[in-house]
Amino acid sequence: MLSNASKYAIRSVLFLAKNSSKENKYGAKSISDELEIPLHFIAKLLQQLVKANVISSSKGPRGGFYTTTNDLNNNVCTILDEIEAGDVFEPCFMGLPQCGDENPCPVHHIVAPFKEAILEKFKHQSIADFAIEIKEDGTFLSLKGIDKK
Amino acid sequence: MLSNASKYAIRSVLFLAKNSSKENKYGAKSISDELEIPLHFIAKLLQQLVKANVISSSKGPRGGFYTTTNDLNNNVCTILDEIEAGDVFEPCFMGLPQCGDENPCPVHHIVAPFKEAILEKFKHQSIADFAIEIKEDGTFLSLKGIDKK
DNA sequence: GCATATAAAGATAATTTAGTCTTTTATTTA
DNA sequence: TAAATAAAAGACTAAATTATCTTTATATGC
Ligand code: SF4
Ligand code: SF4
């Protein structure tokens, strides 16, 4: 449903939203390390996001990527619009073009509410809100160092 | 989330479940036409599914693909296991490896119930049940010929 | 100003997924 | 038994995605 590129981009932006500031920037290298994302891949994505005004950056020593309070007004859909070609959720589960409530596939009644919920969140919740939620709920952007089995 | 291959395979099997029988077989060509799936692509998938005993086939004139009552006892997960490499739903939305209820990402509380619902259906509802549901609910496997705008 | 750190840009390579084509084998029907 | 039909098998091509590498531009601090 989401490409690696999108997943990487979302996690990176949320990471910056949670941790960065004008005074506290993160280089591509540290983001790559922290979130376990291929360095050159995430670097390119971050550059794209800077151009799209989703995040900010500065070059040189002590430079890096960060988010301003203005950046934080964006939402996740802004990220997806930038990274992903078309609409992420269409065509969806059964691969029918232009289906929907009128022409449902056999799993539409399960998929549709989910799509609506996730889209609502991605469209109407700002990155800032996400950052707050992440801090409050203690949700994860990376599982680096966490015991997996 | 699902590859084209999986989507094609599921739709084809459900199509056969709804329409075919030992006496009423469908060639790769007619399935390709009916569901608007590339001919040689679906042919290969159908052969795979025959080998995996998900559907049946016979060669020669009046031959083709069909489902037996025994075939219909399979479920959608059987199809996915055959077509897809690993587990379709892992890693999922945020691309975190081995996450879950204990280590939730920021959208886990939306994604998890959906994953559970769709997996429940794919695992515990037989292809036969699906066919009945499709007939009763009039859900779609193809939108060929239906007005799209 | 010079050395250094870092983003920016973009070329290139690898991998995976998707799709096509050709040949062979089995089955049916006439 | 011959001709026709359709699946089986597998080689091949194309496209998209993922990932890497190299070079250039810019800001910082000494
Ligand atoms: S009918 Fe609904 S669930 Fe099925 S493919 Fe279309 S939008 Fe997705
Ligand atoms: S935490 Fe839940 S929703 Fe998020 S990636 Fe893991 S399983 Fe998917």
Side-chain angles (χ1 to χ4, degrees):
Chain A
M1 199 166 267
L2 294 184
S3 64
N4 279 4
S6 295
K7 292 174 185 173
Y8 293 163
I10 294 173
R11 285 166 60 209
S12 298
V13 172
L14 294 184
F15 174 82
L16 289 174
K18 186 191 171 204
N19 299 298
S20 80
S21 68
K22 180 111 188 174
E23 293 73 40
N24 191 23
K25 296 164 195 150
Y26 288 83
K29 181 72 170 62
S30 64
I31 294 173
S32 159
D33 283 346
E34 199 60 44
L35 303 184
E36 296 184 292
I37 299 173
L39 172 57
H40 298 284
F41 199 158
I42 195 56
K44 221 177 45 176
L45 292 173
L46 291 169
Q47 286 163 27
Q48 251 184 286
L49 294 171
V50 168
K51 263 204 290 194
N53 296 308
V54 176
I55 59 176
S56 305
S57 73
S58 87
K59 295 181 180 179
R62 296 198 48 87
F65 300 93
Y66 61 100
T67 45
T68 64
T69 50
N70 197 43
D71 292 334
L72 296 179
N73 290 327
N74 285 299
N75 57 48
V76 172
C77 275
T78 317
I79 303 173
L80 294 179
D81 288 345
E82 193 54 34
I83 304 295
E84 212 83 17
D87 184 341
V88 178
F89 296 101
E90 190 106 27
C92 88
F93 239 69
M94 283 301 188
L96 307 179
Q98 307 280 351
C99 52
D101 294 337
E102 339 75 49
N103 307 128
C105 80
V107 293
H108 183 76
H109 66 287
I110 294 179
V111 176
F114 163 69
K115 269 173 62 170
E116 204 170 327
I118 200 87
L119 259 175
E120 163 68 22
K121 197 171 180 73
F122 281 0
K123 221 178 246 167
H124 299 303
Q125 177 167 328
S126 72
I127 303 285
D129 294 335
F130 255 104
I132 292 168
E133 215 183 71
I134 290 167
K135 283 178 193 166
E136 282 178 355
D137 300 357
T139 49
F140 294 78
L141 297 172
S142 162
L143 260 37
K144 185 187 173 187
I146 289 183
D147 244 19
K148 310 156 193 175
K149 58 143 185 284
Chain B
M1 201 167 264
L2 295 184
S3 64
N4 279 5
S6 295
K7 292 174 184 172
Y8 293 163
I10 294 173
R11 284 166 62 210
S12 298
V13 172
L14 295 184
F15 174 81
L16 288 174
K18 186 191 171 203
N19 298 299
S20 80
S21 67
K22 180 113 190 174
E23 291 74 39
N24 190 23
K25 295 164 194 150
Y26 287 83
K29 181 73 170 61
S30 64
I31 294 174
S32 159
D33 284 346
E34 199 60 44
L35 303 184
E36 296 185 292
I37 298 172
L39 171 57
H40 298 283
F41 199 160
I42 195 57
K44 221 177 44 175
L45 292 172
L46 291 168
Q47 286 165 27
Q48 249 185 288
L49 294 171
V50 169
K51 264 204 288 195
N53 296 307
V54 177
I55 58 176
S56 305
S57 73
S58 87
K59 294 181 181 180
R62 295 195 50 86
F65 299 93
Y66 61 99
T67 45
T68 64
T69 50
N70 197 42
D71 292 335
L72 296 179
N73 289 327
N74 285 300
N75 57 48
V76 171
C77 275
T78 318
I79 302 174
L80 293 179
D81 288 345
E82 193 54 34
I83 304 296
E84 211 82 18
D87 184 340
V88 177
F89 296 100
E90 191 106 29
C92 86
F93 238 68
M94 283 301 189
L96 307 180
Q98 307 278 353
C99 52
D101 294 336
E102 340 73 51
N103 306 129
C105 79
V107 293
H108 183 76
H109 65 288
I110 295 179
V111 176
F114 162 70
K115 271 173 63 170
E116 204 170 326
I118 200 86
L119 258 174
E120 162 69 21
K121 196 171 181 72
F122 281 0
K123 221 178 247 167
H124 298 305
Q125 177 169 325
S126 72
I127 303 284
D129 295 336
F130 255 105
I132 292 168
E133 215 183 71
I134 290 168
K135 283 178 191 166
E136 283 178 354
D137 299 356
T139 49
F140 294 77
L141 297 172
S142 163
L143 260 36
K144 184 186 173 187
I146 289 183
D147 245 19
K148 308 154 194 177
K149 56 146 185 284

